[in-house]
Amino acid sequence: MVEPPDERIEDRIKRMIVERCFLNIAPSSIADDEVLIKRRDIDSLKLFEIVVGTEDEFGVSVAGEDFTVDNFRTVKDIADCVRRNLGSTGR
């Protein structure tokens, strides 16, 4: 997947969520702070798909203390988790 160099992490996450969860919506319709489980009917299988998609999209490993539902409640939470992981890998 080729992204524009100035694409925000949040926008990449939104696109990944729509693709991985087969949502029939525009990625831009997802607010950065909306609770995905409630608003987009994300169940445990879709949540796992978002975790795997996050690892694939950003080349990070979500494990240990980062592997919590709280880190995947909103797009902003996921982006914060990605930034922490990218920082810890020196990227």
Side-chain angles (χ1 to χ4, degrees):
M1 186 177 312
V2 177
E3 303 87 20
D6 60 346
E7 187 175 32
R8 293 181 332 132
I9 288 176
E10 289 83 356
D11 294 333
R12 291 173 61 186
I13 291 167
K14 291 174 187 182
R15 189 179 63 243
M16 178 271 298
I17 289 171
V18 168
E19 291 171 0
R20 293 273 184 153
C21 295
F22 302 103
L23 301 178
N24 193 22
I25 60 170
S28 61
S29 70
I30 301 173
D32 289 354
D33 61 350
E34 80 179 40
V35 179
L36 297 168
I37 293 169
K38 291 181 182 178
R39 178 87 166 100
R40 301 297 172 183
D41 197 29
I42 301 295
D43 60 19
S44 59
L45 291 175
K46 289 179 182 174
L47 188 60
F48 184 73
E49 191 61 37
I50 292 170
V51 172
V52 171
T54 299
E55 292 179 327
D56 290 348
E57 178 73 20
F58 297 98
V60 298
S61 177
V62 179
E65 65 188 39
D66 285 326
F67 194 66
T68 68
V69 173
D70 286 340
N71 283 333
F72 289 85
R73 289 176 49 85
T74 67
V75 169
K76 181 186 177 314
D77 293 333
I78 298 169
D80 290 345
C81 180
V82 167
R83 286 184 180 100
R84 277 193 310 276
N85 278 281
L86 289 175
S88 69
T89 61
R91 294 183 203 180

